[in-house]
Amino acid sequence: MTEAVIRNKAGMASVKDMPVLQDGPPPGGFAPVRFARRIPNSGPSAMAIFLTTFGVFSWGMYQVGKGNKIRRALKEEKYAARRAILPILQAEEDERFVKEWKKYLEEEARIMKDVPGWKVGENVYHSGRWMPPATGELRPDIW
């Protein structure tokens, strides 16, 4: 439908001839708009937050110190046990080494029996220094 049919007039109407329709405020007006900055003053103070944080941190460090003491005691107990059984372990290792050394000397005597002037078990390095024997298998490729 066209405007002419709606108004029952031919052609375009002037804006001035048109009825005025405008929204207005509700009766009694609109509610006031809050535009002020409202910061709530509730909650703990800065001092309360600081003291709580300090207390929690202090308690945590106390717990860490207790844990360190317990860990240190367990570590010392472990080392004391190791020191206590060390002579037994060393004696067992010495016994094992003597058996291996005898096997090694027998094998050396068997291999070098045809070499004139060869002394079984003599050190081939003439440094004059005593070297502790190596532990473990002496010659794993022979046996």
Side-chain angles (χ1 to χ4, degrees):
M1 292 186 150
T2 63
E3 185 180 350
V5 173
I6 294 172
R7 291 186 299 122
N8 291 325
K9 284 186 179 181
M12 291 288 290
S14 170
V15 174
K16 293 178 184 175
D17 295 339
M18 294 179 75
V20 177
L21 293 175
Q22 183 177 0
D23 285 341
F30 289 106
V33 177
R34 287 182 41 191
F35 62 91
R37 184 171 179 213
R38 294 177 187 244
I39 300 173
N41 56 3
S42 62
S45 66
M47 182 59 73
I49 293 173
F50 174 76
L51 291 176
T52 303
T53 304
F54 180 76
V56 169
F57 179 78
S58 299
W59 179 79
M61 293 311 294
Y62 171 73
Q63 293 297 100
V64 168
K66 275 182 26 180
N68 286 344
K69 284 182 181 179
I70 292 170
R71 192 166 32 262
R72 195 177 306 124
L74 291 174
K75 190 175 181 181
E76 179 57 35
E77 181 181 354
K78 180 172 72 172
Y79 287 157
R82 287 180 181 178
R83 283 191 302 267
I85 66 171
L86 187 65
I88 296 168
L89 295 176
Q90 185 64 50
E92 288 178 355
E93 174 60 22
D94 291 346
E95 183 180 359
R96 188 206 61 80
F97 177 78
V98 168
K99 288 179 185 175
E100 290 290 324
W101 187 249
K102 285 181 182 176
K103 284 186 203 174
Y104 174 73
L105 292 179
E106 290 170 3
E107 187 68 17
E108 182 183 357
R110 184 184 65 76
I111 293 172
M112 301 302 284
K113 65 183 175 193
D114 297 330
V115 178
W118 184 263
K119 297 178 184 172
V120 176
E122 183 179 354
N123 192 357
V124 295
Y125 304 107
H126 302 290
S127 63
R129 293 178 56 196
W130 179 82
M131 297 297 288
T135 58
E137 293 187 32
L138 296 173
R139 295 285 302 272
D141 55 331
I142 295 176
W143 292 285

